[in-house]
Amino acid sequence: MAPSVIVIGAGVVGASAAWSLARAGASVLLLEAFERGHDRGSSHGATRIFRHGYAEQDYVALSVRALDGWNHLERTSGRRIFDRTGAVDHGAPEALSAIAEAQDVAELPYEWLTGAEAAGRWPGLRFEERVLFSPGGGRLRAADAVDALLDAAEAAGARLRFGVRASGIDPDGDAVAVTASDGTHTADRVVVAAGSWTPELVRPWLAANGVTIPTVTVTEEQPAHFPLRPGPAHDESRWPSFVHHPTADGSPSVYGLLTPGEGVKVGFHGTGPAVDPDLRDRTIDPTRLSRLQEYVAEWVPGVDATRPEGISCLYDSTESEDFVLDRVGPVVVATGFSGHGFKFGPALGDILRRLALDGEPAEPRFRLAVASPDA
């Protein structure tokens, strides 16, 4: 008999896990607390950056696996999900060198440009002196991607239920029971991929099994879309995804990309205040928005910095910004995606499927910790 698996959460990670599990023959039930395509979590919005630009070789390898998955999803769904606009990194020289070294190991192409050369190619942006261009990067159509993952999971046999909130996870003989707003569901395995809600949901189960979860801080981040100015930069085809790496002055990392029809999305990485994901009011902070406008006015001349459309979004971040992907008994935990997890969706789904079905040990970077005796 096929193993039964409950997946909690229908964002990019939960949807990817449900797709991978259903394709492997598992009997999958996906539970999502909110409506399909909701905007309360970390997966909402039209676009996300896709990039191979990591200094850590395992993350680069994971990005390659993810791109294979996105390409497969495009072929099977018939939907456009990835726009290969290229990805640009500039800023701290040591960060760029580390990214280039990791891409050398992975045999990925890249190109070094001067700031002037880069500005000539992408007139909507201003650059520091050294620029690293990776042609394999680009833009994911995020909302379409999640929708396609859910459709693919359902086509493979997964059952999807929305508006069903899980509130507890308990042992039930050799199985596991999930208490939810529509009753109790039992399965052989449970994958918890509920974004910012995961830590509190799994904490009692982990504590009962002598395991601790790394500190996961939920923050409300506030990027914004800025409209294009008339001129060469108004051509939407001339916008790569981009990351401006912090230099010695302690400034935050900045990311950006074009969202077709909405403008250029720009945001500071991981600078928002801690929040309860159920209680945030989504009010745009004018002080934070003003800081972002100042940055955009200096570094993104192809947009109108005076006309921002602020966005409220959630990060669930570990201190190291590494993900948590591990299994304790029949429960698989996925959290801590730290504002950079979306691009890895299909690869993360495959990792969670192997953890749930094959019992593979978690990769060291992503493991939970056994609690100390006096914890």
Side-chain angles (χ1 to χ4, degrees):
M1 178 181 289
S4 58
V5 185
I6 296 171
V7 177
I8 302 173
V12 66
V13 178
S16 294
W19 181 42
S20 187
L21 285 159
R23 287 161 61 207
S27 174
V28 178
L29 172 64
L30 183 148
L31 304 178
E32 166 56 51
F34 305 108
E35 69 275 10
R36 181 167 177 157
H38 69 86
D39 63 356
R40 296 167 182 82
S42 300
S43 291
H44 75 94
T47 56
R48 290 292 189 282
I49 288 175
F50 182 86
R51 55 194 293 267
H52 299 298
Y54 284 80
E56 301 85 2
Q57 185 55 42
D58 51 354
Y59 275 118
V60 175
L62 194 65
S63 74
V64 173
R65 288 162 52 191
L67 184 56
D68 288 342
W70 291 124
N71 289 335
H72 178 61
L73 183 63
E74 281 196 325
R75 291 192 299 271
T76 57
S77 69
R79 300 172 72 165
R80 180 75 172 270
I81 291 169
F82 177 55
D83 298 320
R84 192 182 295 270
T85 65
V88 172
D89 292 89
H90 69 118
E94 63 276 10
L96 304 189
S97 296
I99 290 169
E101 290 171 9
Q103 295 199 56
D104 281 336
V105 174
E107 299 183 339
L108 292 169
Y110 61 86
E111 181 181 1
W112 287 109
L113 302 169
T114 66
E117 289 170 335
R121 191 176 298 187
W122 302 290
L125 294 167
R126 178 172 168 255
F127 299 93
E128 300 206 46
E129 182 50 37
R130 205 169 190 218
V131 179
L132 182 67
F133 172 60
S134 301
R139 174 179 61 232
L140 290 166
R141 302 186 180 198
D144 292 339
V146 174
D147 203 45
L149 286 166
L150 292 171
D151 283 347
E154 192 167 36
R159 292 169 293 147
L160 314 182
R161 294 189 185 173
F162 299 93
V164 178
R165 184 160 189 165
S167 57
I169 302 170
D170 297 287
D172 185 6
D174 293 333
V176 60
V178 174
T179 302
S181 56
D182 68 341
T184 300
H185 305 273
T186 303
D188 299 315
R189 307 281 188 271
V190 173
V191 174
V192 186
S196 297
W197 290 265
T198 294
E200 292 308 310
L201 183 56
V202 301
R203 202 178 306 279
W205 176 275
L206 298 182
N209 286 274
V211 176
T212 59
I213 190 169
T215 299
V216 177
T217 302
V218 178
T219 59
E220 183 175 33
E221 305 301 324
Q222 188 179 284
H225 279 112
F226 296 86
L228 298 176
R229 290 185 181 277
H234 201 270
D235 181 353
E236 290 190 345
S237 69
R238 301 188 72 178
W239 285 92
S241 64
F242 56 93
V243 174
H244 191 173
H245 297 269
T247 51
D249 64 2
S251 57
S253 179
V254 181
Y255 65 91
L257 74 166
L258 176 84
T259 300
E262 295 187 58
V264 176
K265 181 180 178 180
V266 186
F268 296 127
H269 175 68
T271 62
V275 296
D276 181 321
D278 284 316
L279 299 178
R280 64 178 173 133
D281 66 10
R282 306 189 190 202
T283 300
I284 300 301
D285 179 351
T287 301
R288 293 165 60 199
L289 185 59
S290 178
R291 284 184 56 226
L292 183 61
Q293 288 178 268
E294 289 174 4
Y295 172 87
V296 168
E298 181 177 1
W299 291 98
V300 193
V303 304
D304 185 349
T306 69
R307 296 169 56 203
E309 289 289 337
I311 308 164
S312 170
C313 63
L314 289 180
Y315 275 22
D316 53 309
S317 301
T318 63
E319 185 176 356
S320 65
E321 297 196 357
D322 287 328
F323 312 149
V324 177
L325 305 165
D326 204 351
R327 174 175 163 174
V328 177
V331 176
V332 177
V333 178
T335 189
F337 295 105
S338 306
H340 68 113
F342 193 105
K343 69 178 72 65
F344 297 108
L348 298 177
D350 288 346
I351 290 173
L352 296 172
R353 181 252 303 161
R354 291 196 299 271
L355 286 168
L357 300 185
D358 303 335
E360 288 190 10
E363 299 179 29
R365 184 188 290 277
F366 303 140
R367 286 178 187 162
L368 293 158
V370 176
S372 61
D374 56 352

